[in-house]
Amino acid sequence: MRTLTMGICLWFVGTASWAGSRQFDPWTCTGQFHNVIAHADRIVVRDGGFIPRDSITNQRVLAVITKTNRIWQVYQNLQFKTNQQGSVCAGQGYPGLDWYQGTNLLALTAMHGCTTLSWEGFPSDAFLTKPSTQWFRKWFSGLKLDKSKYH
């Protein structure tokens, strides 16, 4: 009986740990991601989505952002929702947004319809706040990105 009870307890702890690992909070999204991109001195906007790093060299560059104030604006407007539950897009997204410091690629990311962001550091796509979504739609419109490619 003691072995059975111990087995049930271990199963419960393991299941609870697995379930907890599938959720992530917005502070982690904002904090962890912002820490990674904090020293970016260049953002490359590319005609592609969230794909393996070695494939980005074949994608057309749509814009390169190097002005410190614009990079800071993008950084500041990248805010994540409090509730990260819901469905996510299974596509690769568009556009790709890659964050660099010098020649070092800090983060390879992609937007999904300006509502979520894919990044290898997130357990799934991270939902943006409504003001963040609105800001990115306006910014992408100013960059003359193809709206038909938004996923």
Side-chain angles (χ1 to χ4, degrees), residues 39-44 56 98-106:
H39 300 290
D41 56 18
R42 179 169 44 115
I43 302 171
V44 174
I56 64 174
D98 304 328
W99 303 77
Y100 289 87
Q101 182 179 24
T103 59
N104 184 28
L105 177 60
L106 302 174

Side-chain angles (χ1 to χ4, degrees), residues 17-105:
S17 296
W18 177 82
S21 70
R22 301 300 303 153
Q23 298 176 357
F24 55 111
D25 63 63
W27 185 90
T28 301
C29 293
T30 302
Q32 181 186 9
F33 184 67
H34 280 178
N35 285 342
V36 168
I37 64 169
H39 300 290
D41 56 18
R42 179 169 44 115
I43 302 171
V44 174
V45 182
R46 62 185 158 72
D47 188 20
F50 190 67
I51 58 170
R53 288 176 182 243
D54 58 352
S55 301
I56 64 174
T57 56
N58 298 326
Q59 294 186 346
R60 188 167 54 100
V61 172
L62 304 172
V64 178
I65 314 305
T66 57
K67 291 185 178 178
T68 305
N69 64 335
R70 178 52 81 178
I71 293 170
W72 179 248
Q73 219 175 13
V74 175
Y75 176 96
Q76 287 294 101
N77 282 286
L78 197 53
Q79 298 298 319
F80 300 95
K81 283 187 174 183
T82 303
N83 182 353
Q84 285 294 328
Q85 295 176 347
S87 62
V88 294
C89 178
Q92 292 181 345
Y94 171 89
L97 294 173
D98 304 328
W99 303 77
Y100 289 87
Q101 182 179 24
T103 59
N104 184 28
L105 177 60

Side-chain angles (χ1 to χ4, degrees), residues 86-144:
S87 62
V88 294
C89 178
Q92 292 181 345
Y94 171 89
L97 294 173
D98 304 328
W99 303 77
Y100 289 87
Q101 182 179 24
T103 59
N104 184 28
L105 177 60
L106 302 174
L108 180 126
T109 67
M111 284 286 181
H112 293 269
C114 298
T115 59
T116 64
L117 182 76
S118 294
W119 174 54
E120 62 195 0
F122 296 149
S124 65
D125 297 345
F127 288 95
L128 301 175
T129 63
K130 187 174 182 175
S132 186
T133 294
Q134 292 169 339
W135 188 89
F136 276 96
R137 283 190 177 139
K138 185 176 177 181
W139 185 53
F140 290 158
S141 178
L143 292 175
K144 309 265 189 264

